[in-house]
Amino acid sequence: MSTPTTRRVHEVDVVRGFALAGILVANIGYFSDPGYAQSGTMPIPDGPVASAITALVLTKFYIIFSFLFGYSFTLQMRAAERAGASVTARTVRRCLALLVIGVLHGILLWVGDILTLYAVLGLILLALRGIKPRTAVIIGSVVIGVPTLLMGALAALSTVDPAAGEPSAADPGVAERALALATGGPLDFLTLQLETYPALVALIWAFQGPVAMAMFLFGLAAGKARLLEETDRWWHLLPRVQAVGFGVGLPGGVLLAWTANEPGPLELVGTTTNFLTSILLAAAYVATLLRTVRRFPAVGRALAPAGRVAASNYVGQSLLACLIFTGYGLSLAGTLPPIAVMGIALVMYSVLLWASARWLRTHHYGPVEYVLRRVTTWS
């Protein structure tokens, strides 16, 4: 009896392709003005564009990406079982490959790389793979709930010391040096990367780690229940998901944007609220996308190729951004207004959608996916 081939889940590819757009918008600001990013709190200089990105984009799309990682893990488990291979061996090899790719990506291109975090958390997910969907949801809720409660309590207890005055302004020398290194040449940019990478990795693991792990577990539960493969079972609930997600998530995003540069408790309140409201808003985005794709299938056909080669797109976004903004290429960092940066993001995303579709006409996997698959299956 022949082993059945693995069927790709179209909805997973579509949602992943959509999430790549939000990830690009969230990340490109740091490429466009690395000097400000090192000394400020926003991805681009404060203003209407930054506020909109903070309210509508930041954290929402890596939440979707993390959920899909957990969901795809269940598909990889089934593929390994059908092939008679060890789920543990395959996953460990895949995570090690992901770790190496992430370190190279983080040092050479994008210090905010998330792949190393995914590699480590993937091993934890492997250890928990046998739990029931209900248990996965409970554990995930605790993982994200406990830090949220602690931050909420800290916000409630925090006070701003009147004697301290306003928070000190960021050192302009730091921003100027970072911008000079980013645009000075390849070796200068690498110097900036090596200086920034360790501290930023620690921040990513501390602040994004619990949310990512929780979403891994929610994705694991959804994958075991085959939610994206059997959408008719819950399709009627999507309008409610949209109503709750937008009704709660949008005000939470606005609160985050309003408190982003406020000192003390206000910023902590916005960040704490964002943990929960971002999940709801991300769910509303996905519900809206799925309903749109069912009504207009061409949207899904346009997004799915990028979702099939999502890792290659993720690295490709960083490569294109470096060629445009850093000393690897045009060195345009610090020269463009935020609205122009968003225009470049739109062009980059469109180019990568087109390139993904063209590539998959003659290849089964993207370049990064090919490496991951070879290491995972060891063949």
Side-chain angles (χ1 to χ4, degrees), residues 145-362:
V146 170
T148 301
L149 290 174
L150 290 175
M151 290 185 68
L154 183 60
L157 296 174
S158 296
T159 58
V160 178
D161 184 3
E166 293 295 324
S168 59
D171 183 359
V174 174
E176 291 172 4
R177 179 178 180 275
L179 183 59
L181 287 174
T183 58
L187 291 180
D188 293 323
F189 179 64
L190 282 175
T191 298
L192 177 64
Q193 295 287 98
L194 290 171
E195 290 178 357
T196 309
Y197 184 66
L200 194 54
V201 166
L203 285 174
I204 289 172
W205 285 42
F207 287 97
Q208 296 187 2
V211 178
M213 190 69 240
M215 298 314 299
F216 278 16
L217 289 166
F218 295 158
L220 177 71
K224 288 190 171 188
R226 299 176 183 266
L227 288 186
L228 292 178
E229 295 145 272
E230 301 173 3
T231 56
D232 288 339
R233 287 190 292 137
W234 47 268
W235 194 263
H236 63 285
L237 298 176
L238 289 184
R240 300 180 190 177
V241 173
Q242 289 175 289
V244 174
F246 287 125
V248 179
L250 284 177
V254 171
L255 177 64
L256 177 66
W258 179 58
T259 60
N261 287 322
E262 296 293 332
L266 277 179
E267 184 177 9
L268 200 55
V269 168
T271 303
T272 303
T273 305
N274 184 58
F275 274 119
L276 301 179
T277 59
S278 287
I279 294 177
L280 296 176
L281 187 53
Y285 286 162
V286 172
T288 303
L289 175 66
L290 291 176
R291 297 186 72 189
T292 301
V293 168
R294 177 166 288 195
R295 185 171 182 180
F296 304 103
V299 175
R301 290 193 296 269
L303 295 174
R308 286 181 59 184
V309 290
S312 295
N313 271 269
Y314 179 60
V315 175
Q317 289 178 1
S318 301
L319 178 59
L320 288 178
C322 282
L323 291 176
I324 294 170
F325 293 108
T326 77
Y328 284 167
L330 300 178
S331 299
L332 294 182
T335 65
L336 300 176
I339 193 67
V341 174
M342 292 300 103
I344 289 175
L346 177 60
V347 172
M348 285 173 56
Y349 182 66
S350 300
V351 168
L352 289 170
L353 284 183
W354 171 82
S356 299
R358 287 296 300 268
W359 178 273
L360 289 173
R361 292 180 186 177
T362 54

Side-chain angles (χ1 to χ4, degrees), residues 122-172:
L123 295 176
I124 299 176
L125 190 66
L126 173 66
L128 297 173
R129 69 186 185 278
I131 61 178
K132 297 179 180 179
R134 178 185 176 89
T135 305
V137 171
I138 292 173
I139 296 176
S141 299
V142 171
V143 168
I144 197 172
V146 170
T148 301
L149 290 174
L150 290 175
M151 290 185 68
L154 183 60
L157 296 174
S158 296
T159 58
V160 178
D161 184 3
E166 293 295 324
S168 59
D171 183 359

